[in-house]
Amino acid sequence: MQMPKANILAWQGISALYEASGDRDKYEQALRNLCDRYISESNLEKAWETMQKIIQLYETPQDGRKLVSILRELTAEGPYHKLLAQAEAPKETEIWERMYEVEYGCDERMIETETKKRKTRLGAGTAAQVRAEVRAEVFAQSGVLETLAGLVAKCIEYGDMEQLLTNEQRFFECLDDRLDVVEQRDAAVQQLLNLASDLVTNQRCARAYMLMIEMADNQHDKLVPLAESLITLFPDAPLVESMRLWQIDGSVDVDAASSAAKKANSPFAQMLVVVTAARAREHRRCVDAAVSTRRLLGIFEAKYGVSLPLVRQTVDLAAADAFMEIGKEHASDAEALYRSCLEADPENKRAALGLGLATCALGHLEEGQVLLRRLVETDPDNGRAWGGLGAVLLESGDAEGSIEAYQHAVSVEPETAMHHAGLGAAYWQMGGEFRTDKQYAFGSWLAAARLDATLASVFGGLGKCYAEQGDSERAKRCFVKAMSLDCTDSESGPRLADIYIRSGQDDLCEKLLVTATDAYFSLPWAWRRLGFLLLRQQEYERAVAAFQNALSANRSDCVCWEGLCEAYLGIGRIHTAVKVAQKIVDLDSSRVSGHWLSARACMQAHLVDKALGHFDQAQDCTAANDNLWKRPLAIGRAECLVALTERRFTDGLFAQAAQASFDALRVIKDIDAEFLKWSIVLSACTWLVRLQAQQHLVVSASKEIAELVQIANQQLAELKVPQYLAEITEAAALEPRVNQQHGSNVYNQLELAELAARLRVLLAESTSLASTAWTDLGYVLYAWNTQFHESTLLLEKTQPMSTALLKAAGDCAVAAIQLDTNNARTYNLQGSIATLTGDIALAQHAFIMATRNAPLSAMPWANLGFLYLNYGDVELANKAFARAQMLEPDFYAGWLGQAIIAEQLGSAECVDLYEACLLLEGASTDIADFGYAQQVWKCAVERNENANLGHSRVLAHGEQNRLLLGIYAARRFVARSNDSDGAGSYLLGMLLEQNSEYECAADAYSQALKHVSANDQRRWAILASLARAQCSAEEFAASVDTYAQAAALLEENQWDIPVTQWFGFLLGRSLSLFFAQQLEESLGMFEQVLALTESMPEQRASVGVMLAQVLWALGTDEHRQLARQHLVDTMAEHPDYSSGLATLFAIGMLSDDADLVSAAHNELSKLNIEGNHDLVRLESYLAILRNDPLLGRRSLSRALYKSPDDASLWLLTADFDVLCSRDASLPAQAALRLFKQAVRGHHSWSSAPMPSVVNSAKLQVAVSALNVQAQCSDDITCRKSAANKAIMYQPWAEYNWSMLK
């Protein structure tokens, strides 16, 4: 490369070398040097050959840009231009042509490549958007326009006109594509238009013709030659099809115009769609096309920097007219467009006319009349203006003025159908003879129809005339014709739909409404009628959609909201229906139907109280003489009261439940006898029977029941009773039942229930209702000697039934099964009756049939399980109960059955099963309540036995909750059952005593005594428990008396009492005597207890310590010496008994015996029992007695160091500080803080404590700490607050009240 360039041979060799090595850059440089050498020696032939080699190096597509730069060097401005003088070399225009082709191809490839890359990027946009962005970027960097400009200049230079036109066309198309990225845009646009004009003049380039058509701005004289040339020269051009349609004088198919516009993507073509749709009266398509046209027009005007006012005016006027035709709801859109057109052209009469009509539609009648009167004054021969004035006057209610205006319009333009149609509407509004006399409204509409048979409003008017004359068939045909012309006509559509519905042609009505909504979505009248039609056909899902579409146009339509609520109820979306019904009430609180629907929805959502409130509000909104709503409201309210009975019963509010049933009977009694709902009477009576028979509630409803019985007997007398029903009722006559166990109230209610059931049998309108009625009658007959459990669970105890009643109930079940073999409820009844009669095979068959007919119901399986359980087949019973659990996990019977099985087998799972049954909503069986409470008590006994072995007596959180739930179950059992033997009250007392609620326990024991006879051995046990509870409640005198009664009863009857019970009895009596200050008697009793410990050595230590305490309490030196000696002897036998050591420590302090105190202290220190604070407490007391607070502080500090989170230690420290007259607020606050942490998430200081901490050790710590605060705080407000909190936690503690005082 360093050799002189003059050496051609050397450069040829180097070129060959680099060619062989494949080093293209060095090869190109060597060829350029060689070419320069040839040029310097004037060897242009060789130089051109060398240049050709350089060009061939970059012939590949990816090297296009490089190739263009090399070719540019051959142009007149380049260094190698002289090479083209060779004969073999191409012309300069060919070089420019090649440059254009290469550069254009590079741009296209770049666009394709970049678009493909960017489309997959996150947030790239649509494919069209990505391509547009890439095109703009590529065109901005492209040199195609410069290349084409050079090519055109060379064509002019060489005078090649054919090639010049071809390249001008290329330049025009490229400039049009790149107009958005050129720098001097205005000049470029002008150049583009000049090129287009030149090309059109020379009949070249379809794009040039299309641009000039757009630029003609809808001027007819300019468009005619352009359209003809375009169609002739370029029949395949995109705009040709639209221009052909434009040339047609008559009506043009809108679909054809729309299809052509899609191909052209042209503002003019889209404008043609607007005009075509307007002519065809397809107003909604006209509006939609106008939106697209304005969008395209805006893009076009922005691109070329021009304005096309005539095109815009044509589109806006057509759209405004279409808006007016669609309806008044779009009048504001039309007004805006008319005003825009008038601003652009103040003399535009069409816009002025439209503005007048639009302002009228918007309610500005005076302004509309002024505009139109001004128009007719300036142009009295303007028929459209007179017609518009007539429409405005008609809208404002001036029918006479409207007739006059329309008559002017008809006189000016007699061939215009719209004027005749308007005149007909004006006559119709006048009423009277103008409607009935055919020369007026009917004649005007008929004239309009003859002039223009495409006006839907004309045929709608004729339909109204025929309907007025009573010719429904012709009216129907006219409405059909109107809807065929305009399927969205809001005048004819509703009338025709109503005709179809009245004639039962639901299919035609649905077709009409669907067609209307398909044509235009926002048609409230069509959606509303379609919704109610679908609602009647029970197509609830579609009805919901229809009502929602109707409401999207009018959110205040209460009728639509009511239909939507009904549809939601139909598909089971109950809670949504409740919200929709509430919306109706919010819109119009005086609407009876709104409250009625709200009540129905709330009933289905089990919001019974809320439903009853809506029934009451509906009643308030109903006029006194409105019989339309009086009856359904009364029936609905009665049904709601029956449902309220069930809810109150489930909640345990039995008195309120009975009152609700009574109210239902009172409400239903006031309904006319022929409309009386006996099913409600039956339900209310059965609930009253169930409540009174089980709960002994007395509800005085005799008057209402007597009246209803009288009405029922009257109806039965009027009805013809079938023979089979008469036989059943005769076999089960009412009179023999008086002597049974029911009271008069229950008898009257059952009598009315039976009468109601018999009437239901006679009045049943269908087979299914008849079967249900027979089943209800069977249940009533079955209920005479039962507790009337609808579930018919076999575990419920029943009294022996009379043969007649039992047979009658069975006959009813058979009759029901003959009518309906698929009623599981009937088979349940038959199975229950068969069980009582001992027909086990029939009972099993009936229950199995019930399972088959109700495969998803747990009730038949539970009944089958109890049947097997009663007859000892535990395995089959367990399988049946398991199936019931699987089908309905929330149904208590399956859990209860398995709990009973687990209890029989002695399984520990029975308490969990009972608890699961108890916690289920609606579980109310006495067996579950008593069983759970009993199991909880057994667990408590086991816990106490473990505590005697050294385990903690403090209940864990879960155990405390279970104890409280057991107390709840026992209370419910006592409240709901007769508790005739007192077992429930006794169990309740033991559980309450376990929870330290001693006063309540004593009350429960006293209640249990009422149910136990004097010679029953259980009476002694209950008396002993009562005495124990009284002693714990600090009622010591009463406790001593109760113990004495128990002892006297035992002595009188000489019952054998187990040793452990006798030991507990004597120990409790000893303690009650001790606390009652009867120390000598207590000492004697303790000696007896101590003697019993010979056979109970585990109790000897505790009894010995208590005996020593009694001896010390007697106070004499002799007794205290005996106490000391007895305690020392006891501790010699039981050296690890901490209570004994603590007692020795206390005796040592009281007797000032330092040796005894030291010895007891050392022994207590050795025990190191976790959580035992006896040593710390005694050390603090010793420090106080010795007046050495530092000693007590050190002991407390050591304990707190080991257990800083022990609230009781902090409380002990607070008590010590109080005794030492020191500030105790800090340790008291620490105790309270630990208490808060212990119950965090379950407790608020602003409310009472949760049940799990009531009477617990934690709560006692908190109360004591609060009392410390109330006693020692310097702030009186803080002291009062602490005392109030203590009272809130333990209101029964007198000390808390004294602290507040």
Side-chain angles (χ1 to χ4, degrees):
M1 294 293 293
Q2 302 300 323
M3 294 191 324
K5 292 186 179 182
N7 194 336
I8 294 177
L9 291 175
W11 282 109
Q12 288 177 343
I14 291 173
S15 299
L17 177 64
Y18 286 137
E19 181 182 11
S21 66
D23 192 339
R24 191 171 64 172
D25 293 337
K26 292 182 178 180
Y27 180 46
E28 178 194 351
Q29 186 61 41
L31 289 175
R32 283 183 178 276
N33 290 333
L34 184 59
C35 184
D36 292 341
R37 181 59 192 147
Y38 283 138
I39 293 173
S40 64
E41 293 185 357
S42 300
N43 191 351
L44 298 181
E45 183 180 356
K46 287 292 186 181
W48 172 246
E49 291 178 0
T50 305
M51 179 55 67
Q52 283 185 308
K53 292 180 179 180
I54 296 174
I55 292 172
Q56 290 172 359
L57 284 175
Y58 300 100
E59 290 285 354
T60 57
Q62 60 268 25
D63 295 322
R65 303 290 183 191
K66 180 68 174 177
L67 179 59
V68 170
S69 65
I70 293 171
L71 292 174
R72 197 173 295 278
E73 293 177 359
L74 295 172
T75 62
E77 295 80 9
Y80 299 111
H81 179 64
K82 62 178 66 178
L83 296 181
L84 298 182
Q86 287 296 313
E88 296 83 0
K91 297 179 181 179
E92 188 174 0
T93 55
E94 294 178 3
I95 295 297
W96 284 101
E97 184 83 20
R98 180 76 185 283
M99 288 167 57
Y100 160 73
E101 293 174 354
V102 172
E103 197 157 13
Y104 186 85
C106 287
D107 288 350
E108 291 302 315
R109 284 191 296 273
M110 178 66 72
I111 290 170
E112 292 299 326
T113 303
E114 275 302 307
T115 301
K116 189 175 181 180
K117 286 181 181 178
R118 296 189 189 182
K119 279 197 301 186
T120 58
R121 294 179 183 174
L122 187 63
T126 63
Q129 290 173 338
V130 172
R131 185 173 183 83
E133 292 174 3
V134 173
R135 278 170 61 88
E137 293 175 7
V138 173
F139 289 164
Q141 300 174 3
S142 174
V144 170
L145 286 177
E146 291 80 1
T147 301
L148 281 172
L151 180 56
V152 169
K154 289 300 176 183
C155 289
I156 294 173
E157 180 182 342
Y158 293 121
D160 190 349
M161 298 309 296
E162 184 63 29
Q163 193 67 26
L164 173 62
L165 290 173
T166 300
N167 290 317
E168 278 186 345
Q169 181 177 342
R170 290 176 175 174
F171 185 76
F172 167 79
E173 292 173 350
C174 288
L175 181 58
D176 193 21
D177 291 338
R178 292 159 172 79
L179 195 59
D180 294 332
V181 298
V182 296
E183 295 181 356
Q184 297 180 351
R185 191 167 189 178
D186 293 340
V189 170
Q190 188 59 48
Q191 185 182 10
L192 184 70
L193 294 176
N194 292 336
L195 285 169
S197 178
D198 189 28
L199 291 168
V200 167
T201 302
N202 291 281
Q203 298 183 343
R204 303 289 292 264
C205 186
R207 285 181 65 173
Y209 273 96
M210 290 190 291
L211 178 60
M212 295 307 291
I213 288 172
E214 303 292 349
M215 291 295 181
D217 192 20
N218 200 26
Q219 298 178 52
H220 189 270
D221 54 339
K222 293 183 179 180
L223 286 172
V224 171
L226 290 172
E228 291 177 351
S229 298
L230 179 66
I231 294 171
T232 303
L233 297 173
F234 307 101
D236 297 328
L239 196 57
V240 165
E241 192 173 341
S242 295
M243 297 313 296
R244 284 186 178 137
L245 295 173
W246 176 80
Q247 289 179 329
I248 300 173
D249 292 333
S251 61
V252 176
D253 183 57
V254 183
D255 291 332
S258 179
S259 176
K262 289 180 181 178
K263 296 178 182 178
N265 194 28
S266 155
F268 181 85
Q270 195 65 39
M271 179 203 69
L272 186 61
V273 178
V274 175
V275 174
T276 304
R279 290 174 182 169
R281 301 185 185 282
E282 296 190 24
H283 308 302
R284 302 187 188 283
R285 292 188 69 177
C286 177
V287 169
D288 294 339
V291 173
S292 300
T293 305
R294 279 194 289 269
R295 179 181 60 81
L296 289 174
L297 190 59
I299 295 172
F300 183 86
E301 290 177 339
K303 179 178 179 179
Y304 295 103
V306 296
S307 176
L308 303 177
L310 294 181
V311 173
R312 188 172 292 277
Q313 184 184 81
T314 302
V315 172
D316 288 348
L317 285 174
D321 292 343
F323 275 130
M324 290 298 296
E325 293 291 339
I326 290 173
K328 293 181 179 180
E329 64 271 17
H330 294 289
S332 58
D333 300 316
E335 181 196 22
L337 292 173
Y338 285 133
R339 290 190 186 279
S340 176
C341 292
L342 283 174
E343 289 175 3
D345 182 9
E347 301 300 324
N348 193 313
K349 295 179 181 180
R350 181 181 172 189
L353 172 63
L355 181 60
L357 295 174
T359 52
C360 170
L362 290 170
H364 311 310
L365 300 178
E366 294 182 1
E367 182 183 355
Q369 289 185 35
V370 169
L371 289 170
L372 291 169
R373 288 188 187 278
R374 187 184 305 158
L375 185 59
V376 297
E377 288 173 1
T378 57
D379 187 7
D381 294 331
N382 190 333
R384 293 195 63 192
W386 282 110
L389 180 59
V392 172
L393 292 171
L394 185 63
E395 182 69 24
S396 61
D398 185 2
E400 293 182 1
S402 176
I403 290 173
E404 183 180 352
Y406 274 123
Q407 286 175 344
H408 274 288
V410 170
S411 64
V412 174
E413 297 177 350
E415 300 300 320
T416 302
M418 290 297 296
H419 301 332
H420 292 277
L423 183 58
Y427 282 138
W428 181 266
Q429 187 165 314
M430 286 289 291
E433 63 175 348
F434 292 97
R435 288 190 180 184
T436 57
D437 194 334
K438 292 187 176 182
Q439 67 175 320
Y440 294 110
F442 182 81
S444 297
W445 275 323
L446 190 59
R450 288 169 178 166
L451 290 171
D452 188 353
T454 63
L455 292 177
S457 61
V458 171
F459 288 97
L462 289 172
K464 289 191 291 184
C465 288
Y466 284 125
E468 185 79 8
Q469 297 167 11
D471 192 345
S472 58
E473 189 59 35
R474 285 188 177 180
K476 178 180 176 181
R477 288 203 297 268
C478 286
F479 290 138
V480 170
K481 176 65 175 178
M483 292 305 292
S484 67
L485 294 171
D486 182 5
C487 61
T488 65
D489 186 1
S490 58
E491 285 285 336
S492 302
R495 295 174 184 271
L496 182 58
D498 294 342
I499 290 174
Y500 282 145
I501 291 174
R502 285 195 299 269
S503 60
Q505 296 175 300
D506 288 4
D507 53 343
L508 292 178
C509 183
E510 182 176 355
K511 182 179 179 181
L512 169 73
L513 297 173
V514 170
T515 302
T517 52
D518 287 345
Y520 183 62
F521 187 80
S522 299
L523 284 179
W525 67 265
W527 285 118
R528 189 166 91 170
R529 282 169 172 78
L530 180 60
F532 282 108
L533 179 64
L534 295 171
L535 196 63
R536 190 170 70 176
Q537 296 172 353
Q538 298 185 356
E539 295 188 38
Y540 300 114
E541 294 282 359
R542 292 179 61 198
V544 166
F547 285 123
Q548 287 176 340
N549 293 334
L551 288 167
S552 64
N554 183 8
R555 303 290 293 174
S556 60
D557 187 349
C558 289
V559 176
C560 269
W561 283 110
E562 289 174 2
L564 182 61
C565 181
E566 292 275 8
Y568 277 130
L569 288 174
I571 61 177
R573 293 179 60 180
I574 308 302
H575 293 285
T576 306
V578 171
K579 295 178 181 178
V580 172
Q582 186 60 46
K583 176 70 175 179
I584 302 170
V585 174
D586 294 341
L587 287 172
D588 186 359
S589 59
S590 63
R591 193 176 182 86
V592 180
S593 56
H595 290 293
W596 164 258
L597 271 175
S598 294
R600 282 186 54 204
C602 291
M603 283 276 289
Q604 293 194 35
H606 305 295
L607 304 173
V608 185
D609 294 288
K610 193 174 180 180
L612 194 59
H614 282 295
F615 276 123
D616 293 339
Q617 293 178 53
Q619 191 69 43
D620 295 339
C621 297
T622 307
N625 57 353
D626 187 0
N627 292 324
L628 177 65
W629 280 107
K630 182 178 179 181
R631 212 176 291 120
L633 283 176
I635 294 173
R637 194 170 190 276
E639 290 176 340
C640 186
L641 286 166
V642 172
L644 183 63
T645 302
E646 183 177 2
R647 173 57 59 86
R648 294 291 182 262
F649 180 82
T650 302
D651 295 340
L653 305 174
F654 309 119
Q656 293 183 26
Q659 186 63 45
S661 286
F662 163 67
D663 290 341
L665 291 176
R666 179 173 53 80
V667 171
I668 206 72
K669 175 183 68 66
D670 296 333
I671 300 175
D672 297 338
E674 62 268 26
F675 299 106
L676 203 148
K677 284 280 188 179
W678 291 106
S679 59
I680 300 176
V681 175
L682 174 61
S683 299
C685 287
T686 53
W687 273 113
L688 284 174
V689 171
R690 185 173 181 181
L691 285 162
Q692 293 193 5
Q694 292 187 9
Q695 312 304 332
H696 306 290
L697 299 175
V698 179
V699 179
S700 178
S702 56
K703 178 182 177 181
E704 287 73 14
I705 290 177
E707 293 180 8
L708 287 168
V709 167
Q710 184 179 359
I711 295 172
N713 283 320
Q714 289 176 356
Q715 289 197 13
L716 281 172
E718 295 171 0
L719 293 171
K720 183 178 180 180
V721 180
Q723 180 65 29
Y724 56 85
L725 180 58
E727 292 175 357
I728 290 176
T729 53
E730 287 174 6
L734 292 174
E735 288 75 9
R737 306 171 206 180
V738 177
N739 297 324
Q740 298 194 22
Q741 80 274 18
H742 301 297
S744 60
N745 279 338
V746 176
Y747 175 83
N748 293 335
Q749 291 151 11
L750 276 173
E751 178 186 10
L752 177 57
E754 182 175 340
L755 289 172
R758 288 165 60 192
L759 279 168
R760 289 198 67 206
V761 171
L762 293 174
L763 298 173
E765 298 176 355
S766 64
T767 302
S768 60
L769 288 176
S771 175
T772 303
W774 278 109
T775 303
D776 289 338
L777 179 57
Y779 271 113
V780 174
L781 295 172
Y782 176 72
W784 272 99
N785 282 58
T786 69
Q787 296 180 357
F788 210 113
H789 282 274
E790 170 66 15
S791 63
T792 69
L793 285 174
L794 300 180
L795 61 96
E796 304 295 350
K797 304 300 182 183
T798 58
Q799 298 293 332
M801 257 190 162
S802 67
T803 305
L805 288 174
L806 200 58
K807 183 178 184 304
D811 291 342
C812 290
V814 171
I817 292 172
Q818 289 175 349
L819 290 170
D820 184 3
T821 58
N822 299 319
N823 193 329
R825 184 166 168 263
T826 309
Y827 283 113
N828 270 329
L829 173 64
Q830 187 182 45
S832 301
I833 295 171
T835 303
L836 291 177
T837 59
D839 192 344
I840 307 306
L842 178 59
Q844 183 180 18
H845 167 75
F847 288 139
I848 290 175
M849 289 300 296
T851 62
R852 291 177 180 176
N853 289 298
L856 299 180
S857 174
M859 177 65 68
W861 287 103
N863 280 338
L864 192 60
F866 285 116
L867 176 67
Y868 290 142
L869 187 61
N870 288 342
Y871 288 92
D873 196 333
V874 175
E875 184 177 355
L876 284 178
N878 187 45
K879 290 180 179 180
F881 290 135
R883 184 62 178 270
Q885 283 180 342
M886 181 189 71
L887 290 172
E888 294 184 44
D890 293 336
F891 182 51
Y892 74 94
W895 297 94
L896 180 58
Q898 288 201 331
I900 295 173
I901 292 174
E903 185 176 11
Q904 291 180 0
L905 298 177
S907 172
E909 293 181 354
C910 65
V911 65
D912 295 324
L913 292 168
Y914 274 123
E915 182 173 348
C917 171
L918 195 71
L919 293 176
L920 292 174
E921 183 179 359
S924 59
T925 177
D926 299 339
I927 293 179
D929 291 339
F930 189 86
Y932 181 73
Q934 190 175 45
Q935 293 303 318
V936 169
W937 168 244
K938 290 180 180 179
C939 292
V941 170
E942 184 179 353
R943 180 60 184 259
N944 292 335
E945 291 174 353
N946 292 334
N948 293 332
L949 298 176
H951 298 287
S952 173
R953 289 184 179 271
V954 179
L955 292 177
H957 181 72
E959 293 174 321
Q960 183 68 35
N961 286 340
R962 180 167 282 180
L963 175 60
L964 294 172
L965 188 58
I967 292 172
Y968 165 75
R971 285 189 192 277
R972 190 166 71 172
F973 173 81
V974 172
R976 293 183 176 182
S977 68
N978 296 327
D979 194 25
S980 56
D981 57 358
S985 298
Y986 183 53
L987 178 60
L988 174 62
M990 290 190 292
L991 290 170
L992 290 168
E993 195 175 358
Q994 180 67 27
N995 199 43
S996 305
E997 298 181 54
Y998 302 114
E999 293 89 347
C1000 296
D1003 293 339
Y1005 290 137
S1006 299
Q1007 188 65 29
L1009 285 172
K1010 297 178 182 179
H1011 299 281
V1012 181
S1013 61
N1015 57 354
D1016 191 337
Q1017 184 173 347
R1018 290 185 304 134
R1019 187 173 184 83
W1020 175 83
I1022 297 173
L1023 282 170
S1025 298
L1026 174 60
R1028 183 177 65 249
Q1030 290 172 334
C1031 182
S1032 300
E1034 301 183 7
E1035 299 175 7
F1036 303 122
S1039 176
V1040 170
D1041 292 341
T1042 305
Y1043 271 120
Q1045 293 178 35
L1049 183 65
L1050 183 62
E1051 184 178 358
E1052 179 183 351
N1053 290 280
Q1054 296 296 315
W1055 289 316
D1056 291 331
I1057 305 298
V1059 175
T1060 53
Q1061 291 187 23
W1062 181 242
F1063 171 80
F1065 176 80
L1066 291 179
L1067 182 60
R1069 190 176 184 188
S1070 303
L1071 290 172
S1072 68
L1073 290 168
F1074 174 77
F1075 288 118
Q1077 299 300 313
Q1078 299 180 26
L1079 299 179
E1080 291 290 346
E1081 292 83 351
S1082 176
L1083 179 62
M1085 197 63 63
F1086 265 117
E1087 289 176 348
Q1088 294 182 43
V1089 175
L1090 186 64
L1092 285 175
T1093 59
E1094 294 294 337
S1095 59
M1096 304 172 67
E1098 70 277 2
Q1099 302 291 344
R1100 188 169 184 79
S1102 59
V1103 174
V1105 171
M1106 285 188 280
L1107 178 60
Q1109 291 172 352
V1110 173
L1111 288 169
W1112 184 271
L1114 286 170
T1116 65
D1117 292 339
E1118 181 181 358
H1119 284 109
R1120 290 191 172 182
Q1121 186 62 35
L1122 284 173
R1124 182 170 178 168
Q1125 185 58 46
H1126 180 72
L1127 192 57
V1128 170
D1129 294 341
T1130 299
M1131 294 312 301
E1133 297 178 7
H1134 307 280
D1136 295 335
Y1137 189 55
S1138 61
S1139 296
L1141 293 173
T1143 305
L1144 278 175
F1145 192 107
I1147 289 175
M1149 286 194 298
L1150 293 173
S1151 60
D1152 199 18
D1153 187 341
D1155 294 336
L1156 182 58
V1157 169
S1158 178
H1161 181 271
N1162 291 335
E1163 293 300 321
L1164 278 170
S1165 301
K1166 293 177 183 178
L1167 293 179
N1168 192 25
I1169 301 174
E1170 184 179 357
N1172 190 342
H1173 305 315
D1174 288 342
L1175 177 60
V1176 179
R1177 183 179 291 104
L1178 291 171
E1179 286 178 344
S1180 64
Y1181 292 158
L1182 178 62
I1184 293 171
L1185 290 174
R1186 293 180 177 177
N1187 196 20
D1188 187 2
L1190 186 60
L1191 173 64
R1193 260 294 178 176
R1194 282 201 299 268
S1195 177
L1196 289 167
S1197 297
R1198 285 195 301 270
L1200 287 170
Y1201 178 77
K1202 294 180 180 179
S1203 304
D1205 55 351
D1206 192 330
S1208 60
L1209 272 177
W1210 285 103
L1211 180 61
L1212 187 60
T1213 305
D1215 290 335
F1216 178 78
D1217 287 343
V1218 171
L1219 292 173
C1220 295
S1221 302
R1222 299 176 60 177
D1223 183 10
S1225 59
L1226 289 177
Q1229 289 176 3
L1232 287 172
R1233 184 174 64 254
L1234 290 168
F1235 171 71
K1236 291 179 185 179
Q1237 294 174 356
V1239 296
R1240 180 174 295 160
H1242 306 281
H1243 168 70
S1244 170
W1245 282 96
S1246 61
S1247 61
M1250 62 178 183
S1252 61
V1253 298
V1254 172
N1255 294 310
S1256 68
K1258 292 178 183 177
L1259 183 63
Q1260 189 58 52
V1261 169
V1263 172
S1264 300
L1266 287 167
N1267 285 328
V1268 170
Q1269 280 192 333
Q1271 182 179 357
C1272 67
S1273 178
D1274 296 331
D1275 187 351
I1276 185 64
T1277 303
C1278 180
R1279 294 171 66 183
K1280 285 184 178 180
S1281 175
N1284 282 322
K1285 288 178 182 177
I1287 291 171
M1288 180 178 66
Y1289 284 134
Q1290 287 185 338
W1292 58 84
E1294 289 294 334
Y1295 181 77
N1296 298 339
W1297 291 97
S1298 64
M1299 191 62 64
L1300 180 63
K1301 295 177 182 178

